[in-house]
Amino acid sequence: MAKDGSTAAADGTTAGSGDVARSLELLWGGGERPSRGPKPGLTLDRIVTAAVAVADAEGLPAVSMRRLSTELGTGTMSLYRYVPGKAELLDLMLDRVLGEPLSAEPDRPAGADGTPGDWRVAIDAMAHTYLDNLRRHPWLLKINQARTVLGPSALRGLELALSALRSMGLRDPELIGVIITVNSFAEGLARTQGDAAEAVAQTGLSDEQFWDSQRPYLERAMLSGAYPMMAGMSEDTFSADFDHFEFGLQRLIAGFEALVQERTAERTADPAAEPATNRTPDPTAEPTPDLTADRT
């Protein structure tokens, strides 16, 4: 059991399963820096960088304090002076990779591209950026992020996303719903692609070889008449040339467009129906008197 009372998964892939207070100190710069003992030149930044590199190359199970000490040329105990263990290190790794897309244009909301009001461009950029990040770091798909410890990169990414989507005119919970929907869509496709690559590595069979082995059975099934819909589909139905990600993303954006139009129509018909949480307070307005103050 971790110090915060939670339990980590057996393979250490549960975010926020370590000492949450210590992770927050390290993420936000409040942790104490070792003053003696470690090899000169060893830093928390170097440790996290090495951990991400090992995870990218060999998967998260390959990341251990012993392995990192070898990569960094230092004693294992030296690492513990900087980070309590793998659970807390995982929190730092997550925030590190979440911050990678933010470094390209740190002063402008992702997807704005000169048109801050175009939330469609922002959603398109958000989805592609997240998909690319998952492809660069496939181990992200192996982590339970239900209780992620929020660091600077995670919060900055959310701030930029909300800023880019604010022009949609949706309620705050709906804006969060847009982000969750887009990220879940990208994650689902990345997981499918990652599982396919993992299957090839584990079995030694390419996708083409795998499906060719089933071809005789599938052809007989199609000729049996039991599957008329599938038998009547065109030859390019399962073509790799069809971009399922782009197709789905554009349908999502079209769905959000319909919701934005619906909300706009509602506000036009009844301006008072605008959610109070989205209204900007009027600094010149007189305070509302407390009508119950003199009642006894």
Side-chain angles (χ1 to χ4, degrees), residues 106-170:
D107 298 323
R108 189 171 67 178
D113 194 25
T115 53
D118 194 346
W119 56 264
R120 302 162 194 79
V121 176
I123 288 180
D124 187 274
M126 185 190 309
H128 282 93
T129 297
Y130 190 41
L131 179 63
D132 291 343
N133 213 18
L134 292 171
R135 286 170 171 170
R136 284 196 306 271
H137 309 291
W139 51 272
L140 285 171
L141 295 167
K142 306 295 184 180
I143 299 174
N144 179 346
Q145 298 188 50
R147 298 178 64 183
T148 301
V149 179
L150 298 177
S153 294
L155 287 189
R156 177 162 175 75
L158 181 57
E159 178 71 15
L160 290 174
L162 289 172
S163 297
L165 301 180
R166 176 57 67 185
S167 63
M168 296 178 77
L170 303 180

Side-chain angles (χ1 to χ4, degrees), residues 123 126-127 130 134 145-146 157-158 161-162 165 168 170 172-189 249 252 256:
I123 288 180
M126 185 190 309
Y130 190 41
L134 292 171
Q145 298 188 50
L158 181 57
L162 289 172
L165 301 180
M168 296 178 77
L170 303 180
D172 291 343
E174 293 174 334
L175 289 178
I176 297 298
V178 170
I179 295 172
I180 291 175
T181 299
V182 173
N183 285 352
S184 297
F185 170 69
E187 185 174 318
L189 188 126
L249 178 57
L252 281 181
F256 292 138

Side-chain angles (χ1 to χ4, degrees), residues 1-289:
M1 180 175 290
K3 294 180 182 178
D4 68 341
S6 62
T7 54
D11 59 357
T13 56
T14 302
S17 62
D19 186 339
V20 175
R22 184 62 175 141
S23 291
L24 288 169
E25 290 176 351
L26 294 170
L27 283 166
W28 290 97
E32 296 181 2
R33 298 178 61 126
S35 58
R36 58 191 179 89
K39 177 181 177 181
L42 183 62
T43 64
L44 184 61
D45 182 73
R46 285 191 62 207
I47 294 171
V48 176
T49 299
V52 170
V54 171
D56 288 348
E58 303 176 37
L60 200 59
V63 178
S64 68
M65 303 303 269
R66 183 186 297 274
R67 171 63 184 277
L68 293 178
S69 68
T70 300
E71 294 290 328
L72 295 167
T74 188
T76 303
M77 294 308 298
S78 295
L79 301 181
Y80 287 106
R81 296 176 181 271
Y82 289 85
V83 60
K86 182 175 178 179
E88 294 80 10
L89 178 60
L90 177 60
D91 293 333
L92 304 181
M93 293 167 64
L94 275 173
D95 202 65
R96 167 67 64 82
V97 299
L98 289 175
E100 288 179 359
L102 307 179
S103 61
E105 294 182 278
D107 298 323
R108 189 171 67 178
D113 194 25
T115 53
D118 194 346
W119 56 264
R120 302 162 194 79
V121 176
I123 288 180
D124 187 274
M126 185 190 309
H128 282 93
T129 297
Y130 190 41
L131 179 63
D132 291 343
N133 213 18
L134 292 171
R135 286 170 171 170
R136 284 196 306 271
H137 309 291
W139 51 272
L140 285 171
L141 295 167
K142 306 295 184 180
I143 299 174
N144 179 346
Q145 298 188 50
R147 298 178 64 183
T148 301
V149 179
L150 298 177
S153 294
L155 287 189
R156 177 162 175 75
L158 181 57
E159 178 71 15
L160 290 174
L162 289 172
S163 297
L165 301 180
R166 176 57 67 185
S167 63
M168 296 178 77
L170 303 180
R171 296 173 53 242
D172 291 343
E174 293 174 334
L175 289 178
I176 297 298
V178 170
I179 295 172
I180 291 175
T181 299
V182 173
N183 285 352
S184 297
F185 170 69
E187 185 174 318
L189 188 126
R191 190 179 304 279
T192 298
Q193 295 177 340
D195 288 346
E198 193 171 303
V200 172
Q202 290 177 347
T203 64
L205 288 177
S206 67
D207 285 340
E208 186 176 280
Q209 291 172 320
F210 176 76
W211 292 112
D212 279 347
S213 67
Q214 300 186 60
R215 188 181 301 278
Y217 300 91
L218 294 176
E219 287 179 345
R220 284 200 296 270
M222 294 303 102
L223 292 173
S224 70
Y227 311 96
M229 286 298 299
M230 294 188 65
M233 298 182 82
S234 63
E235 293 184 0
D236 65 346
T237 298
F238 299 102
S239 171
D241 295 331
F242 187 85
D243 192 338
H244 291 279
F245 180 75
E246 195 62 34
F247 173 81
L249 178 57
Q250 294 309 313
R251 304 293 74 74
L252 281 181
I253 293 176
F256 292 138
E257 178 80 61
L259 177 60
V260 169
Q261 292 176 356
E262 179 182 328
R263 292 289 183 269
T264 301
E266 291 173 354
R267 287 193 296 272
T268 301
D270 183 9
E274 182 181 3
T277 55
N278 286 353
R279 296 175 190 161
T280 302
D282 182 359
T284 65
E286 292 292 331
T288 302

